[in-house]
Amino acid sequence: MKTILLLLTIGTAIIAHGQDTQQFALVSAGNSSTQSTTSLDWTVGQTISTTGVNTQALLTSGIHQPVLITEVINILTVKHPEIQIYPNPVVETLTIQVDGADELLIKLHDLEGKEVISASSVNTLNLKELSNGVYILTLSSGTYSSRHKIVKH
């Protein structure tokens, strides 16, 4: 009977204390920024909230996680040049046609990353002396760059 009474007393104390819960969080970073019509607040961590109430005030603290409001200013349109590379697979001469690009920088790398050919503003590459295999062709013009797989037979 003493054991049951002891367990009942301990169980009641645990249940009564278990109703008092608090949430905590670890926050590692955060900041706030406001410019003209946009305000941004952020934190990195888990949300917490603790509320204290008395007769005159309500105090709530925690991590602020508001809605982000944005406004579209401009839509950026990027035009890509028209590219034709043929024949692929290639035996001797690779033809490169690029419409809509100013000065074109051409680089050909093997699969180990070694540059085997570098040229600018040419329409053909002579690959006759290269070993058969797979190469990566990089075309660059201004802010545009593209990579293409080339197979040499």
Side-chain angles (χ1 to χ4, degrees):
M1 182 69 164
K2 288 182 182 181
T3 306
I4 294 174
L5 186 57
L6 180 62
L7 289 175
L8 191 58
T9 304
I10 293 173
T12 304
I14 291 173
I15 292 172
H17 184 67
Q19 299 300 317
D20 181 24
T21 61
Q22 293 182 350
Q23 297 177 349
F24 296 97
L26 173 63
V27 177
S28 60
N31 208 343
S32 177
S33 177
T34 303
Q35 293 183 1
S36 64
T37 61
T38 304
S39 176
L40 175 63
D41 297 309
W42 69 91
T43 57
V44 177
Q46 299 173 347
T47 303
I48 65 170
S49 180
T50 304
T51 303
V53 180
N54 65 21
T55 57
Q56 297 174 337
L58 170 68
L59 173 65
T60 302
S61 64
I63 298 176
H64 183 85
Q65 304 235 358
V67 176
L68 174 63
I69 300 171
T70 60
E71 181 179 329
V72 176
I73 298 172
N74 283 336
I75 296 176
L76 180 62
T77 305
V78 178
K79 294 184 179 182
H80 299 290
E82 186 73 29
I83 299 172
Q84 293 182 7
I85 301 168
Y86 59 91
N88 194 8
V90 59
V91 176
E92 288 186 18
T93 304
L94 183 69
T95 302
I96 303 166
Q97 292 182 342
V98 180
D99 296 330
D102 297 332
E103 186 173 329
L104 184 66
L105 179 61
I106 301 167
K107 292 185 179 185
L108 189 68
H109 292 86
D110 62 15
L111 291 182
E112 294 177 352
K114 180 182 171 190
E115 185 178 294
V116 292
I117 294 178
S118 180
S120 61
S121 298
V122 297
N123 294 332
T124 60
L125 291 179
N126 184 353
L127 307 183
K128 184 177 182 179
E129 301 299 320
L130 293 180
S131 302
N132 291 346
V134 177
Y135 295 87
I136 303 298
L137 177 69
T138 304
L139 305 175
S140 302
S141 175
T143 59
Y144 177 78
S145 179
S146 66
R147 290 187 175 88
H148 308 271
K149 179 175 123 180
I150 304 297
V151 177
K152 164 76 168 71
H153 281 292

Short mmCIF file of all heavy atoms in Angstrom, two decimals, residues 39-107:
data_model
loop_
_atom_site.label_atom_id
_atom_site.label_comp_id
_atom_site.label_asym_id
_atom_site.label_seq_id
_atom_site.Cartn_x
_atom_site.Cartn_y
_atom_site.Cartn_z
N SER A 39 10.64 45.69 -46.71
CA SER A 39 11.26 45.43 -45.43
C SER A 39 11.50 43.94 -45.31
O SER A 39 10.61 43.15 -45.65
CB SER A 39 10.36 45.91 -44.30
OG SER A 39 10.92 45.57 -43.05
N LEU A 40 12.68 43.56 -44.86
CA LEU A 40 13.02 42.15 -44.75
C LEU A 40 13.66 41.89 -43.40
O LEU A 40 14.61 42.55 -43.02
CB LEU A 40 13.99 41.76 -45.87
CG LEU A 40 14.55 40.35 -45.85
CD1 LEU A 40 13.43 39.33 -46.01
CD2 LEU A 40 15.57 40.16 -46.94
N ASP A 41 13.09 40.94 -42.63
CA ASP A 41 13.65 40.48 -41.37
C ASP A 41 13.88 38.99 -41.48
O ASP A 41 13.04 38.28 -42.01
CB ASP A 41 12.67 40.72 -40.20
CG ASP A 41 12.40 42.19 -39.99
OD1 ASP A 41 13.35 42.95 -39.89
OD2 ASP A 41 11.21 42.56 -39.93
N TRP A 42 15.02 38.50 -40.98
CA TRP A 42 15.25 37.07 -41.04
C TRP A 42 16.09 36.60 -39.87
O TRP A 42 16.83 37.35 -39.28
CB TRP A 42 15.91 36.68 -42.35
CG TRP A 42 17.32 37.15 -42.50
CD1 TRP A 42 18.45 36.48 -42.15
CD2 TRP A 42 17.75 38.40 -43.03
NE1 TRP A 42 19.56 37.22 -42.43
CE2 TRP A 42 19.16 38.41 -42.97
CE3 TRP A 42 17.11 39.51 -43.54
CZ2 TRP A 42 19.91 39.47 -43.41
CZ3 TRP A 42 17.87 40.56 -43.97
CH2 TRP A 42 19.24 40.54 -43.91
N THR A 43 15.93 35.31 -39.58
CA THR A 43 16.75 34.63 -38.58
C THR A 43 17.00 33.21 -39.05
O THR A 43 16.25 32.68 -39.84
CB THR A 43 16.05 34.57 -37.20
OG1 THR A 43 14.81 33.92 -37.36
CG2 THR A 43 15.85 35.93 -36.62
N VAL A 44 18.06 32.63 -38.54
CA VAL A 44 18.35 31.23 -38.80
C VAL A 44 18.23 30.52 -37.47
O VAL A 44 18.93 30.82 -36.52
CB VAL A 44 19.76 31.05 -39.38
CG1 VAL A 44 20.06 29.59 -39.58
CG2 VAL A 44 19.89 31.82 -40.67
N GLY A 45 17.29 29.61 -37.35
CA GLY A 45 17.08 28.90 -36.10
C GLY A 45 15.67 28.33 -36.05
O GLY A 45 14.97 28.33 -37.04
N GLN A 46 15.26 27.87 -34.90
CA GLN A 46 13.93 27.32 -34.73
C GLN A 46 13.05 28.35 -34.03
O GLN A 46 13.51 29.12 -33.19
CB GLN A 46 13.98 26.05 -33.89
CG GLN A 46 14.82 24.96 -34.50
CD GLN A 46 14.98 23.80 -33.55
OE1 GLN A 46 14.67 23.89 -32.38
NE2 GLN A 46 15.48 22.70 -34.07
N THR A 47 11.77 28.36 -34.37
CA THR A 47 10.86 29.32 -33.79
C THR A 47 10.61 29.02 -32.32
O THR A 47 10.40 27.89 -31.93
CB THR A 47 9.51 29.28 -34.53
OG1 THR A 47 9.77 29.52 -35.90
CG2 THR A 47 8.55 30.30 -33.99
N ILE A 48 10.65 30.08 -31.47
CA ILE A 48 10.29 29.94 -30.06
C ILE A 48 9.26 31.00 -29.72
O ILE A 48 9.13 32.00 -30.41
CB ILE A 48 11.50 30.10 -29.11
CG1 ILE A 48 12.06 31.52 -29.19
CG2 ILE A 48 12.53 29.06 -29.36
CD1 ILE A 48 13.09 31.80 -28.13
N SER A 49 8.51 30.78 -28.68
CA SER A 49 7.55 31.78 -28.23
C SER A 49 7.31 31.58 -26.74
O SER A 49 6.97 30.49 -26.31
CB SER A 49 6.24 31.65 -29.00
OG SER A 49 5.33 32.62 -28.55
N THR A 50 7.49 32.63 -25.97
CA THR A 50 7.23 32.62 -24.54
C THR A 50 6.31 33.79 -24.25
O THR A 50 6.59 34.91 -24.69
CB THR A 50 8.53 32.77 -23.73
OG1 THR A 50 9.41 31.74 -24.14
CG2 THR A 50 8.27 32.67 -22.25
N THR A 51 5.23 33.58 -23.56
CA THR A 51 4.27 34.64 -23.29
C THR A 51 4.13 34.84 -21.79
O THR A 51 3.97 33.88 -21.05
CB THR A 51 2.88 34.30 -23.89
OG1 THR A 51 3.05 34.09 -25.28
CG2 THR A 51 1.91 35.43 -23.67
N GLY A 52 4.20 36.10 -21.37
CA GLY A 52 3.97 36.45 -19.97
C GLY A 52 2.82 37.44 -19.91
O GLY A 52 2.76 38.39 -20.68
N VAL A 53 1.86 37.24 -19.01
CA VAL A 53 0.68 38.10 -18.94
C VAL A 53 0.51 38.59 -17.52
O VAL A 53 0.64 37.83 -16.56
CB VAL A 53 -0.59 37.31 -19.37
CG1 VAL A 53 -1.81 38.20 -19.30
CG2 VAL A 53 -0.42 36.73 -20.75
N ASN A 54 0.23 39.89 -17.37
CA ASN A 54 -0.22 40.41 -16.09
C ASN A 54 -1.45 41.29 -16.35
O ASN A 54 -1.95 41.32 -17.48
CB ASN A 54 0.89 41.14 -15.32
CG ASN A 54 1.37 42.41 -16.02
OD1 ASN A 54 0.66 42.98 -16.84
ND2 ASN A 54 2.57 42.85 -15.69
N THR A 55 -1.87 42.04 -15.41
CA THR A 55 -3.11 42.81 -15.58
C THR A 55 -2.96 43.98 -16.53
O THR A 55 -3.93 44.48 -17.07
CB THR A 55 -3.61 43.33 -14.22
OG1 THR A 55 -2.57 44.12 -13.63
CG2 THR A 55 -3.99 42.19 -13.31
N GLN A 56 -1.73 44.43 -16.79
CA GLN A 56 -1.54 45.62 -17.61
C GLN A 56 -0.91 45.35 -18.98
O GLN A 56 -1.02 46.17 -19.87
CB GLN A 56 -0.66 46.62 -16.86
CG GLN A 56 -1.31 47.10 -15.57
CD GLN A 56 -0.38 47.98 -14.78
OE1 GLN A 56 0.84 47.90 -14.94
NE2 GLN A 56 -0.95 48.81 -13.92
N ALA A 57 -0.25 44.23 -19.14
CA ALA A 57 0.49 44.05 -20.38
C ALA A 57 0.57 42.58 -20.76
O ALA A 57 0.46 41.69 -19.92
CB ALA A 57 1.88 44.61 -20.25
N LEU A 58 0.79 42.36 -22.04
CA LEU A 58 1.03 41.03 -22.60
C LEU A 58 2.40 41.09 -23.25
O LEU A 58 2.65 41.92 -24.12
CB LEU A 58 -0.04 40.68 -23.64
CG LEU A 58 0.21 39.44 -24.49
CD1 LEU A 58 0.12 38.20 -23.60
CD2 LEU A 58 -0.82 39.35 -25.59
N LEU A 59 3.31 40.24 -22.82
CA LEU A 59 4.67 40.22 -23.35
C LEU A 59 4.89 38.92 -24.08
O LEU A 59 4.74 37.84 -23.52
CB LEU A 59 5.68 40.35 -22.20
CG LEU A 59 7.15 40.18 -22.60
CD1 LEU A 59 7.57 41.30 -23.52
CD2 LEU A 59 8.02 40.11 -21.37
N THR A 60 5.24 39.02 -25.35
CA THR A 60 5.56 37.83 -26.15
C THR A 60 6.94 38.02 -26.73
O THR A 60 7.25 39.06 -27.30
CB THR A 60 4.54 37.62 -27.28
OG1 THR A 60 3.25 37.50 -26.72
CG2 THR A 60 4.85 36.38 -28.08
N SER A 61 7.79 37.01 -26.59
CA SER A 61 9.12 37.07 -27.18
C SER A 61 9.32 35.83 -28.02
O SER A 61 8.69 34.81 -27.82
CB SER A 61 10.18 37.15 -26.08
OG SER A 61 10.16 35.97 -25.31
N GLY A 62 10.21 35.92 -28.97
CA GLY A 62 10.48 34.78 -29.83
C GLY A 62 11.21 35.24 -31.08
O GLY A 62 11.60 36.39 -31.19
N ILE A 63 11.35 34.36 -32.01
CA ILE A 63 12.03 34.68 -33.26
C ILE A 63 11.00 35.21 -34.24
O ILE A 63 9.97 34.59 -34.47
CB ILE A 63 12.74 33.44 -33.83
CG1 ILE A 63 13.80 32.97 -32.84
CG2 ILE A 63 13.35 33.74 -35.18
CD1 ILE A 63 14.49 31.71 -33.25
N HIS A 64 11.30 36.34 -34.84
CA HIS A 64 10.40 36.97 -35.80
C HIS A 64 10.59 36.31 -37.17
O HIS A 64 11.69 36.30 -37.70
CB HIS A 64 10.75 38.46 -35.88
CG HIS A 64 9.84 39.24 -36.77
ND1 HIS A 64 8.66 39.73 -36.33
CD2 HIS A 64 9.96 39.59 -38.05
CE1 HIS A 64 8.07 40.39 -37.31
NE2 HIS A 64 8.85 40.31 -38.36
N GLN A 65 9.53 35.77 -37.73
CA GLN A 65 9.60 35.11 -39.03
C GLN A 65 8.45 35.63 -39.91
O GLN A 65 7.46 34.95 -40.10
CB GLN A 65 9.50 33.59 -38.88
CG GLN A 65 10.55 33.06 -37.95
CD GLN A 65 11.38 31.98 -38.57
OE1 GLN A 65 11.17 31.59 -39.69
NE2 GLN A 65 12.34 31.51 -37.83
N PRO A 66 8.58 36.85 -40.45
CA PRO A 66 7.48 37.44 -41.20
C PRO A 66 7.42 36.96 -42.64
O PRO A 66 8.26 36.21 -43.10
CB PRO A 66 7.81 38.92 -41.15
CG PRO A 66 9.30 38.93 -41.18
CD PRO A 66 9.72 37.74 -40.35
N VAL A 67 6.44 37.48 -43.35
CA VAL A 67 6.26 37.19 -44.76
C VAL A 67 7.16 38.11 -45.57
O VAL A 67 7.27 39.30 -45.28
CB VAL A 67 4.78 37.42 -45.16
CG1 VAL A 67 4.58 37.22 -46.65
CG2 VAL A 67 3.88 36.51 -44.36
N LEU A 68 7.82 37.60 -46.59
CA LEU A 68 8.67 38.39 -47.45
C LEU A 68 7.81 39.03 -48.54
O LEU A 68 7.07 38.34 -49.24
CB LEU A 68 9.74 37.51 -48.10
CG LEU A 68 10.64 38.15 -49.14
CD1 LEU A 68 11.46 39.28 -48.51
CD2 LEU A 68 11.55 37.13 -49.77
N ILE A 69 7.90 40.35 -48.67
CA ILE A 69 7.15 41.08 -49.69
C ILE A 69 8.15 41.60 -50.70
O ILE A 69 9.11 42.29 -50.34
CB ILE A 69 6.36 42.25 -49.06
CG1 ILE A 69 5.38 41.70 -48.03
CG2 ILE A 69 5.65 43.05 -50.15
CD1 ILE A 69 4.72 42.76 -47.21
N THR A 70 7.95 41.26 -51.97
CA THR A 70 8.87 41.71 -53.01
C THR A 70 8.10 42.41 -54.12
O THR A 70 6.89 42.23 -54.26
CB THR A 70 9.64 40.52 -53.62
OG1 THR A 70 8.70 39.61 -54.19
CG2 THR A 70 10.47 39.82 -52.58
N GLU A 71 8.81 43.16 -54.91
CA GLU A 71 8.22 43.88 -56.04
C GLU A 71 9.11 43.67 -57.25
O GLU A 71 10.32 43.85 -57.17
CB GLU A 71 8.11 45.36 -55.70
CG GLU A 71 7.49 46.19 -56.79
CD GLU A 71 7.39 47.66 -56.38
OE1 GLU A 71 7.24 47.94 -55.19
OE2 GLU A 71 7.49 48.50 -57.27
N VAL A 72 8.52 43.30 -58.39
CA VAL A 72 9.29 43.08 -59.62
C VAL A 72 9.62 44.44 -60.21
O VAL A 72 8.73 45.25 -60.47
CB VAL A 72 8.50 42.23 -60.62
CG1 VAL A 72 9.27 42.10 -61.93
CG2 VAL A 72 8.19 40.87 -60.04
N ILE A 73 10.90 44.70 -60.42
CA ILE A 73 11.33 45.97 -61.00
C ILE A 73 11.54 45.81 -62.50
O ILE A 73 11.00 46.57 -63.29
CB ILE A 73 12.63 46.45 -60.33
CG1 ILE A 73 12.35 46.70 -58.85
CG2 ILE A 73 13.16 47.71 -61.00
CD1 ILE A 73 13.59 47.01 -58.05
N ASN A 74 12.31 44.83 -62.91
CA ASN A 74 12.59 44.57 -64.33
C ASN A 74 12.61 43.08 -64.57
O ASN A 74 12.93 42.31 -63.67
CB ASN A 74 13.96 45.12 -64.74
CG ASN A 74 13.96 46.61 -64.93
OD1 ASN A 74 12.92 47.21 -65.18
ND2 ASN A 74 15.13 47.21 -64.80
N ILE A 75 12.31 42.68 -65.77
CA ILE A 75 12.47 41.29 -66.18
C ILE A 75 13.68 41.24 -67.09
O ILE A 75 13.72 41.92 -68.12
CB ILE A 75 11.21 40.77 -66.90
CG1 ILE A 75 10.03 40.78 -65.93
CG2 ILE A 75 11.46 39.37 -67.45
CD1 ILE A 75 8.72 40.39 -66.55
N LEU A 76 14.68 40.47 -66.69
CA LEU A 76 15.92 40.37 -67.44
C LEU A 76 15.76 39.37 -68.57
O LEU A 76 15.36 38.22 -68.35
CB LEU A 76 17.06 39.93 -66.51
CG LEU A 76 18.43 39.78 -67.13
CD1 LEU A 76 18.92 41.12 -67.67
CD2 LEU A 76 19.41 39.23 -66.12
N THR A 77 16.04 39.80 -69.77
CA THR A 77 15.96 38.93 -70.93
C THR A 77 17.37 38.70 -71.46
O THR A 77 18.09 39.65 -71.76
CB THR A 77 15.10 39.57 -72.04
OG1 THR A 77 13.83 39.88 -71.49
CG2 THR A 77 14.93 38.63 -73.21
N VAL A 78 17.76 37.43 -71.52
CA VAL A 78 19.09 37.07 -72.02
C VAL A 78 18.92 36.37 -73.35
O VAL A 78 18.18 35.40 -73.47
CB VAL A 78 19.81 36.14 -71.02
CG1 VAL A 78 21.16 35.74 -71.56
CG2 VAL A 78 19.93 36.81 -69.67
N LYS A 79 19.60 36.89 -74.36
CA LYS A 79 19.54 36.28 -75.68
C LYS A 79 20.76 35.40 -75.89
O LYS A 79 21.89 35.83 -75.64
CB LYS A 79 19.47 37.36 -76.76
CG LYS A 79 18.20 38.15 -76.71
CD LYS A 79 18.11 39.13 -77.83
CE LYS A 79 16.80 39.89 -77.74
NZ LYS A 79 16.61 40.83 -78.82
N HIS A 80 20.53 34.17 -76.29
CA HIS A 80 21.62 33.24 -76.56
C HIS A 80 21.87 33.19 -78.07
O HIS A 80 20.93 33.22 -78.85
CB HIS A 80 21.25 31.83 -76.09
CG HIS A 80 21.01 31.76 -74.62
ND1 HIS A 80 22.01 31.90 -73.70
CD2 HIS A 80 19.87 31.59 -73.91
CE1 HIS A 80 21.51 31.80 -72.48
NE2 HIS A 80 20.21 31.62 -72.58
N PRO A 81 23.13 33.11 -78.46
CA PRO A 81 23.42 33.01 -79.89
C PRO A 81 22.97 31.66 -80.44
O PRO A 81 22.86 30.67 -79.72
CB PRO A 81 24.94 33.17 -79.95
CG PRO A 81 25.44 32.86 -78.60
CD PRO A 81 24.33 33.15 -77.64
N GLU A 82 22.71 31.64 -81.71
CA GLU A 82 22.34 30.40 -82.42
C GLU A 82 23.64 29.66 -82.74
O GLU A 82 24.54 30.21 -83.36
CB GLU A 82 21.59 30.76 -83.71
CG GLU A 82 21.05 29.59 -84.46
CD GLU A 82 19.85 28.97 -83.77
OE1 GLU A 82 19.11 29.69 -83.08
OE2 GLU A 82 19.67 27.75 -83.92
N ILE A 83 23.76 28.39 -82.30
CA ILE A 83 25.00 27.63 -82.45
C ILE A 83 24.75 26.36 -83.25
O ILE A 83 23.78 25.64 -82.99
CB ILE A 83 25.57 27.24 -81.06
CG1 ILE A 83 25.90 28.49 -80.26
CG2 ILE A 83 26.81 26.37 -81.21
CD1 ILE A 83 26.28 28.21 -78.83
N GLN A 84 25.63 26.12 -84.23
CA GLN A 84 25.62 24.85 -84.98
C GLN A 84 27.04 24.31 -84.99
O GLN A 84 27.98 25.02 -85.35
CB GLN A 84 25.13 25.07 -86.40
CG GLN A 84 23.68 25.47 -86.51
CD GLN A 84 23.25 25.61 -87.96
OE1 GLN A 84 23.99 25.28 -88.89
NE2 GLN A 84 22.04 26.11 -88.14
N ILE A 85 27.17 23.04 -84.55
CA ILE A 85 28.48 22.38 -84.52
C ILE A 85 28.33 21.06 -85.26
O ILE A 85 27.50 20.23 -84.87
CB ILE A 85 28.94 22.13 -83.07
CG1 ILE A 85 29.01 23.46 -82.31
CG2 ILE A 85 30.28 21.42 -83.04
CD1 ILE A 85 29.17 23.30 -80.82
N TYR A 86 29.12 20.86 -86.31
CA TYR A 86 28.99 19.63 -87.10
C TYR A 86 30.30 19.33 -87.82
O TYR A 86 31.11 20.25 -88.00
CB TYR A 86 27.82 19.76 -88.09
CG TYR A 86 27.94 20.91 -89.07
CD1 TYR A 86 28.57 20.75 -90.30
CD2 TYR A 86 27.46 22.18 -88.74
CE1 TYR A 86 28.68 21.79 -91.20
CE2 TYR A 86 27.56 23.23 -89.62
CZ TYR A 86 28.18 23.03 -90.84
OH TYR A 86 28.30 24.08 -91.72
N PRO A 87 30.55 18.11 -88.27
CA PRO A 87 29.84 16.87 -87.91
C PRO A 87 30.27 16.43 -86.51
O PRO A 87 31.37 16.75 -86.07
CB PRO A 87 30.31 15.88 -88.96
CG PRO A 87 31.70 16.34 -89.32
CD PRO A 87 31.67 17.85 -89.17
N ASN A 88 29.44 15.72 -85.87
CA ASN A 88 29.75 15.18 -84.54
C ASN A 88 29.12 13.80 -84.46
O ASN A 88 27.90 13.71 -84.41
CB ASN A 88 29.22 16.09 -83.44
CG ASN A 88 29.80 15.75 -82.08
OD1 ASN A 88 30.71 14.94 -81.97
ND2 ASN A 88 29.25 16.38 -81.06
N PRO A 89 29.88 12.75 -84.51
CA PRO A 89 31.33 12.59 -84.41
C PRO A 89 32.07 13.20 -85.61
O PRO A 89 31.55 13.24 -86.71
CB PRO A 89 31.55 11.09 -84.35
CG PRO A 89 30.21 10.46 -84.26
CD PRO A 89 29.19 11.46 -84.57
N VAL A 90 33.31 13.63 -85.36
CA VAL A 90 34.13 14.28 -86.35
C VAL A 90 35.36 13.41 -86.65
O VAL A 90 35.85 12.72 -85.77
CB VAL A 90 34.55 15.69 -85.87
CG1 VAL A 90 35.32 15.62 -84.58
CG2 VAL A 90 35.32 16.44 -86.93
N VAL A 91 35.81 13.46 -87.91
CA VAL A 91 37.01 12.72 -88.29
C VAL A 91 38.20 13.68 -88.38
O VAL A 91 39.24 13.44 -87.76
CB VAL A 91 36.81 11.98 -89.63
CG1 VAL A 91 38.10 11.30 -90.08
CG2 VAL A 91 35.68 10.98 -89.51
N GLU A 92 38.05 14.79 -89.16
CA GLU A 92 39.16 15.73 -89.32
C GLU A 92 38.79 17.17 -88.96
O GLU A 92 39.43 17.78 -88.13
CB GLU A 92 39.67 15.71 -90.77
CG GLU A 92 40.43 14.47 -91.13
CD GLU A 92 41.03 14.55 -92.53
OE1 GLU A 92 41.14 15.67 -93.08
OE2 GLU A 92 41.39 13.50 -93.07
N THR A 93 37.77 17.72 -89.62
CA THR A 93 37.45 19.14 -89.49
C THR A 93 36.10 19.33 -88.81
O THR A 93 35.09 18.80 -89.27
CB THR A 93 37.44 19.82 -90.87
OG1 THR A 93 38.70 19.60 -91.50
CG2 THR A 93 37.21 21.31 -90.75
N LEU A 94 36.09 20.11 -87.73
CA LEU A 94 34.87 20.44 -87.00
C LEU A 94 34.45 21.85 -87.40
O LEU A 94 35.25 22.79 -87.33
CB LEU A 94 35.11 20.36 -85.49
CG LEU A 94 33.90 20.62 -84.60
CD1 LEU A 94 32.89 19.47 -84.74
CD2 LEU A 94 34.32 20.78 -83.16
N THR A 95 33.20 22.00 -87.85
CA THR A 95 32.67 23.30 -88.24
C THR A 95 31.84 23.88 -87.11
O THR A 95 31.00 23.18 -86.53
CB THR A 95 31.81 23.18 -89.52
OG1 THR A 95 32.61 22.61 -90.56
CG2 THR A 95 31.29 24.53 -89.96
N ILE A 96 32.08 25.16 -86.82
CA ILE A 96 31.37 25.86 -85.75
C ILE A 96 30.75 27.12 -86.34
O ILE A 96 31.46 27.99 -86.86
CB ILE A 96 32.33 26.25 -84.61
CG1 ILE A 96 33.04 25.01 -84.07
CG2 ILE A 96 31.59 26.99 -83.51
CD1 ILE A 96 34.23 25.32 -83.20
N GLN A 97 29.42 27.21 -86.28
CA GLN A 97 28.72 28.40 -86.75
C GLN A 97 27.95 29.01 -85.58
O GLN A 97 27.14 28.32 -84.96
CB GLN A 97 27.74 28.06 -87.87
CG GLN A 97 28.42 27.62 -89.15
CD GLN A 97 27.41 27.32 -90.25
OE1 GLN A 97 26.23 27.13 -89.99
NE2 GLN A 97 27.90 27.29 -91.47
N VAL A 98 28.25 30.27 -85.30
CA VAL A 98 27.59 30.97 -84.20
C VAL A 98 27.04 32.28 -84.75
O VAL A 98 27.79 33.13 -85.22
CB VAL A 98 28.57 31.24 -83.04
CG1 VAL A 98 27.88 31.96 -81.91
CG2 VAL A 98 29.18 29.94 -82.55
N ASP A 99 25.70 32.42 -84.69
CA ASP A 99 25.05 33.65 -85.12
C ASP A 99 24.65 34.45 -83.89
O ASP A 99 24.10 33.91 -82.95
CB ASP A 99 23.79 33.35 -85.95
CG ASP A 99 24.13 32.62 -87.25
OD1 ASP A 99 25.23 32.85 -87.77
OD2 ASP A 99 23.29 31.83 -87.72
N GLY A 100 24.93 35.75 -83.90
CA GLY A 100 24.52 36.60 -82.79
C GLY A 100 25.58 36.76 -81.72
O GLY A 100 25.30 37.25 -80.65
N ALA A 101 26.82 36.37 -82.00
CA ALA A 101 27.90 36.55 -81.02
C ALA A 101 28.96 37.45 -81.64
O ALA A 101 29.23 37.37 -82.84
CB ALA A 101 28.50 35.21 -80.65
N ASP A 102 29.53 38.32 -80.84
CA ASP A 102 30.58 39.21 -81.33
C ASP A 102 31.86 38.41 -81.50
O ASP A 102 32.00 37.64 -82.42
CB ASP A 102 30.77 40.38 -80.37
CG ASP A 102 29.52 41.25 -80.27
OD1 ASP A 102 28.76 41.29 -81.26
OD2 ASP A 102 29.31 41.86 -79.22
N GLU A 103 32.82 38.58 -80.61
CA GLU A 103 34.05 37.82 -80.68
C GLU A 103 33.87 36.50 -79.95
O GLU A 103 33.41 36.47 -78.81
CB GLU A 103 35.20 38.61 -80.06
CG GLU A 103 36.53 37.92 -80.24
CD GLU A 103 37.70 38.77 -79.77
OE1 GLU A 103 37.61 40.00 -79.85
OE2 GLU A 103 38.70 38.17 -79.33
N LEU A 104 34.24 35.42 -80.59
CA LEU A 104 34.02 34.09 -80.04
C LEU A 104 35.35 33.48 -79.62
O LEU A 104 36.30 33.43 -80.40
CB LEU A 104 33.35 33.20 -81.10
CG LEU A 104 32.96 31.80 -80.69
CD1 LEU A 104 31.87 31.86 -79.62
CD2 LEU A 104 32.48 31.01 -81.88
N LEU A 105 35.42 33.01 -78.37
CA LEU A 105 36.60 32.32 -77.86
C LEU A 105 36.27 30.83 -77.84
O LEU A 105 35.25 30.42 -77.28
CB LEU A 105 36.96 32.81 -76.46
CG LEU A 105 38.16 32.15 -75.80
CD1 LEU A 105 39.43 32.40 -76.62
CD2 LEU A 105 38.35 32.68 -74.39
N ILE A 106 37.14 30.01 -78.45
CA ILE A 106 36.91 28.57 -78.59
C ILE A 106 38.03 27.83 -77.87
O ILE A 106 39.21 28.09 -78.10
CB ILE A 106 36.89 28.17 -80.08
CG1 ILE A 106 35.79 28.93 -80.81
CG2 ILE A 106 36.72 26.67 -80.24
CD1 ILE A 106 35.88 28.86 -82.31
N LYS A 107 37.62 26.88 -77.00
CA LYS A 107 38.60 26.04 -76.31
C LYS A 107 38.13 24.60 -76.38
O LYS A 107 36.95 24.32 -76.20
CB LYS A 107 38.76 26.47 -74.86
CG LYS A 107 39.42 27.82 -74.70
CD LYS A 107 39.68 28.14 -73.26
CE LYS A 107 40.37 29.49 -73.17
NZ LYS A 107 40.76 29.81 -71.81
#
